[in-house]
Amino acid sequence: MRVSQLLNPTLREVPAEAEVVSHQLMLRAGFIRKAAAGIYTYLPLGWKVIRKIEQIIREEMDVKGGQEVMLPIMQPAELWKESGRWDVYGPEMFRLKDRHNREFCLGPTHEEIITDLVRSEVRSYKQLPLLLYQIQNKYRDERRPRFGLMRGREFIMKDLYSFDKDLPGLLESYDKMYKAYERIFTRCGLTFRAVEADAGAIGGTGGTHEFMVLADSGEAAVVFCKECDYAANVEKAECLPRLVPTDDSLKVMNGEIHTPGTKTIDQVANILKINKTSLIKTMVYKGDDKYFVVLVRGDREINEIKVNNSLGPFVNLRMAQPEEVLSLLKCEPGFVGPIGIDNDIVIAADLEVAEMESLVCGANKKDYHLVNVKCGQDFVPTKTLDLRMVVTGEPCLKCKGKLQEARGIEVGQVFNLGKKYSESLKATYLDDKGHEQYCLMGCYGIGVSRTMAAAIEQNYDNNGIIWPMPIAPYHCIIVPVSLKDEEVVSTAEALYKELTELGVETVLDDRDERAGVKFKDSDLVGYPLRITIGKKTLAEGKVELNNRRTGEAQLVTAEDACALVKAIVDEALK
Ligand code: ATP
Ligand code: MG
């Protein structure tokens, strides 16, 4: 490809709307343009990267026995009503009606459609296992579409669905996909980690892992153990109670204590001159139309995912407004506590609260707290379970090593779904004895467009993108420094022809531009290799070969340049 012909509008300025590096660089390097919030056009170089990621994914899916299909984007509401998800998916789902007023959605995911296919076409255990996948646009009306391709409303996903006849089969399919994902992200040149995760709206009870590209800009927080292989999304990471001795000063206090004007845990701790670890937080939540109370230790954060999983699931879960708390408990939020709450209101206590020797809580009376309260005696929670966020430095559940925190970009997730969809949609097969059985399912997604963004978050410098060779839009760019010198031009043309014939994906910057402009663009776009042809070096029969990642430059003869480039590319793609 000749740069003069390439639709590659690069920008010098950083676009104001782009907050993260990958978004900025994709706009500046002319890879994408915005059509609407969270909806993008891919320009030729951007699309090439997408196609390469897709190709790697296809190869790895096919090796594992995956069969590619193409499912409809527009899906009838009936199927979603059958699975029970039409009403629970919420405002993230784009819904529409046809001219006959029939309801549809734009697929945010495809469990319903694929299960419908399999229940119609699969009769016997002999047809299983089945691994079906597609690479296609998904539609989710995200609350906050942002960061360019990172969180779009229209985005590209690979989704594979596995159908097995029994649990060992399902576990094998899951393991195949897990391993395929490791290979895919490794081949894309990414540093990643698989972490235990929460199943969210996709559901299933059999466990799930997220594949996280580690980057400071990542929206997800993960914890991992330095000593063993344990790693989990903080949403999921299980916590054991960790006991802290009660403040001595509390032992001499009793009953109701006046704590006027205290609105926060810190203020209560200050006024009583105690640690936050001796206090509990009493938070009122509203899950759909039901109020309930959650208790955690004063220094802890409530993990709303755990709350939703153990007390819900709810379509809408939120903290109650102050007016709601006031009308429900007849007390301002800052002073509510678990003692004396109506029996019909569920009280869920974190494991630590139940084990605290003695605690301080709101008195359900304005400006007062109660001290020396004991869970189990002074009040009895309806449920006691793990409801808090993990923190750095806690012991690992598996080996007692210390947990560390990191940020990650979720590029893929694998789910063990079990019978969740096969039961609701009645996807069955006949086993070898002729008995009808439910299929066991798994689903496995990769955010293709998000993977492109994540690759940039991990591979850039001040000058632009540094593509890993396997997903670079082109492997090499040839830059003739001046078009005025005939020998420079003819050498550039000859190298371009030869490299192309060798199968190296090459562009020739044949624009009549200053060399500085060409170098800037070439660095910005992130071509892994650059051959620069200038009059001076050519006089000695040499051209310059630059490596974008290492910054290394070497002078080689024009003849050697092609072989060298070919060897570097082959090595990187091996
Ligand atoms: P998130 O928690 O980031 O919203 P998710 O868990 O809802 O994602 P999945 O249903 O697991 O997403 O979808 C599979 C993959 O699709 C994700 O791992 C992610 O890489 C990608 N993905 C999900 N939502 C988006 C989005 N809005 N834009 C781009 N990629 C996305
Ligand atoms: Mg996910």
Side-chain angles (χ1 to χ4, degrees), residues 476 491 495 499 530-534 536-546 552-566 568:
C476 181
T491 307
L495 287 182
L499 278 176
R530 185 178 83 211
I531 298 175
T532 310
I533 304 163
K536 235 203 245 153
T537 52
L538 205 55
E540 292 155 26
K542 298 280 176 70
V543 299
E544 190 179 273
L545 176 59
N546 283 80
E552 255 175 293
Q554 59 187 123
L555 285 176
V556 293
T557 63
E559 296 80 66
D560 287 350
C562 286
L564 198 52
V565 166
K566 168 85 173 138
I568 295 171

Side-chain angles (χ1 to χ4, degrees), residues 140 197-199 202 208-210 410 412-415 450:
R140 295 184 186 178
D198 178 71
I202 307 283
T208 170
H209 287 88
E210 286 166 340
E410 181 199 322
Q413 187 163 11
V414 292
F415 296 87
R450 187 185 283 181

Side-chain angles (χ1 to χ4, degrees), residues 140 142 149-152 155 157 202 410-413 415 445-447 450:
R140 295 184 186 178
E142 298 273 358
L149 298 190
M150 208 74 97
R151 184 166 297 283
F155 60 96
M157 197 201 285
I202 307 283
E410 181 199 322
V411 286
Q413 187 163 11
F415 296 87
I446 291 181
R450 187 185 283 181

Side-chain angles (χ1 to χ4, degrees), residues 65-86:
Q67 302 178 57
E68 189 167 356
V69 293
M70 187 51 109
L71 305 169
I73 289 173
M74 203 163 134
Q75 307 181 11
E78 285 74 44
L79 280 177
W80 287 78
K81 289 182 178 162
E82 226 184 307
S83 74
R85 284 209 292 180
W86 184 256

Side-chain angles (χ1 to χ4, degrees), residues 464-476:
I465 305 170
I466 306 175
W467 286 110
M469 190 70 80
I471 58 173
Y474 285 90
H475 303 138
C476 181

Side-chain angles (χ1 to χ4, degrees), residues 294-347:
V294 177
L295 311 175
V296 292
R297 206 169 73 192
D299 60 322
R300 301 301 198 191
E301 292 305 320
I302 293 175
N303 181 329
E304 291 186 356
I305 303 277
K306 290 179 183 175
V307 170
N308 189 47
N309 288 344
S310 49
L311 295 154
F314 305 106
V315 178
N316 282 305
L317 172 71
R318 60 168 174 84
M319 272 199 287
Q321 304 289 339
E323 317 82 71
E324 292 174 300
V325 175
L326 199 59
S327 96
L328 185 77
L329 303 176
K330 311 283 173 286
C331 175
E332 280 183 24
F335 304 97
V336 298
I339 299 182
I341 288 183
D342 271 357
N343 281 339
D344 54 350
I345 299 178
V346 166
I347 301 180

Side-chain angles (χ1 to χ4, degrees), residues 21 25 455-462 464-466 548:
V21 165
L25 288 175
I456 296 175
E457 293 291 333
Q458 262 187 0
N459 297 282
Y460 70 94
D461 64 13
N462 285 337
I465 305 170
I466 306 175
R548 175 72 180 88

